[in-house]
Amino acid sequence: DAKTTQPPSMDCAEGRAANLPCNHSTISGNEYVYWYRQIHSQGPQYIIHGLKNNETNEMASLIITEDRKSSTLILPHATLRDTAVYYCIVRGDRYNQGGKLIFGQGTELSVKP
Amino acid sequence: NAGVTQTPKFRILKIGQSMTLQCTQDMNHNYMYWYRQDPGMGLKLIYYSVGAGITDKGEVPNGYNVSRSTTEDFPLRLELAAPSQTSVYFCASSKTPGQGWSEAFFGQGTRLTVV
């Protein structure tokens, strides 16, 4: 499985954009980049995923570099409720590592008033 | 849809006891996963299943067993509980990766303490 590297913690001011980086330099061609977050000790919540192109949904934007070796999750207007641990995961399809979902240590984002 | 349902929510076990953590999903997902999360740590994959009758080991399978006799259910069995198995256990399910929308949905967890 391709490994990911994330900063252990980040701070962000409420109302500002939160930019969370992820390095996945060993990613292979058919592996997707997924982002999840975990608030307190609840079950992780899906945010967004992408393969090559940048993606946007109602929660966030995902920017993947052209060489696919890194990505950035953007929360455009962070609120206090976005305080959570954010996980960047590289996941293959069923022919690549069986589609396992392997979590790293994540980035603890603290949104401050 | 209830999504992914785990039972029980909390359990205290004595060393050497056995128990089964239940997980059921009503989304007709082929893939199911079991994770454990120790305090302050990330999630570790215990076992996963790509469909009924098929299971495979994850990162930390020792001390656990699973079965997948139906698409809906994926129980996790602890045979001889040890204090090292004190953790929060999460079950998740997803469609087959690579076939359209396949994000994983997680249950709310089972908090297990072994004393």
Side-chain angles (χ1 to χ4, degrees), chain A residues 1 32 34 36 38 40-49 57 87 89 91-95 97-106, chain B residues 31 33 35 37 40-45 48 50 57-59 88 90 94-108 111:
Chain A
D1 302 311
Y32 289 74
Y34 279 76
Y36 286 80
Q38 187 176 27
H40 298 301
S41 295
Q42 299 175 17
Q45 175 191 23
Y46 166 82
I47 302 173
I48 198 168
H49 76 285
N57 63 21
Y87 295 98
I89 300 165
R91 186 193 197 195
D93 61 21
R94 60 179 172 169
Y95 304 111
Q97 301 293 329
K100 287 185 289 188
L101 203 58
I102 302 294
F103 285 76
Q105 291 305 305
Chain B
Y31 275 59
Y33 307 84
Y35 296 88
Q37 185 173 34
M41 306 296 286
L43 283 78
K44 292 293 186 184
L45 181 65
Y48 69 106
V50 302
K57 296 177 181 179
E59 303 170 277
V88 179
F90 289 102
S94 77
K95 291 181 180 177
T96 301
Q99 294 183 348
W101 207 248
S102 59
E103 78 270 30
F105 295 83
F106 284 78
Q108 286 306 299
R111 284 155 179 76

Side-chain angles (χ1 to χ4, degrees), chain B residues 2 18-19 25 38 41 43 54 56 63 67 83 89 95 99 112:
Chain B
S18 301
M19 77 164 293
Q25 52 91 10
D38 298 336
M41 306 296 286
L43 283 78
I54 306 170
D56 206 350
S67 59
Y89 291 83
K95 291 181 180 177
Q99 294 183 348
L112 175 67

Side-chain angles (χ1 to χ4, degrees), chain B residues 34 46-48 55-56 64-68 74-77:
Chain B
W34 272 108
I46 305 172
Y47 272 95
Y48 69 106
T55 62
D56 206 350
Y64 306 94
N65 281 300
V66 293
S67 59
R68 184 95 183 272
F74 191 39
L76 177 72
R77 178 84 177 159

Side-chain angles (χ1 to χ4, degrees), chain A residues 39-99:
Chain A
I39 298 173
H40 298 301
S41 295
Q42 299 175 17
Q45 175 191 23
Y46 166 82
I47 302 173
I48 198 168
H49 76 285
L51 182 63
K52 300 179 189 176
N53 300 320
N54 298 338
E55 302 288 344
T56 296
N57 63 21
E58 64 278 3
M59 288 182 67
S61 294
L62 174 60
I63 309 297
I64 302 175
T65 57
E66 192 168 345
D67 63 7
R68 303 212 319 126
K69 293 184 177 182
S70 65
S71 61
T72 301
L73 178 74
I74 301 173
L75 308 179
H77 304 287
T79 71
L80 299 179
R81 287 176 295 180
D82 292 322
T83 292
V85 178
Y86 288 77
Y87 295 98
C88 168
I89 300 165
V90 170
R91 186 193 197 195
D93 61 21
R94 60 179 172 169
Y95 304 111
N96 184 348
Q97 301 293 329

Side-chain angles (χ1 to χ4, degrees), chain B residues 59-82:
Chain B
E59 303 170 277
V60 290
N62 291 345
Y64 306 94
N65 281 300
V66 293
S67 59
R68 184 95 183 272
S69 56
T70 67
T71 298
E72 295 78 18
D73 300 308
F74 191 39
L76 177 72
R77 178 84 177 159
L78 283 70
E79 290 295 347
L80 291 170

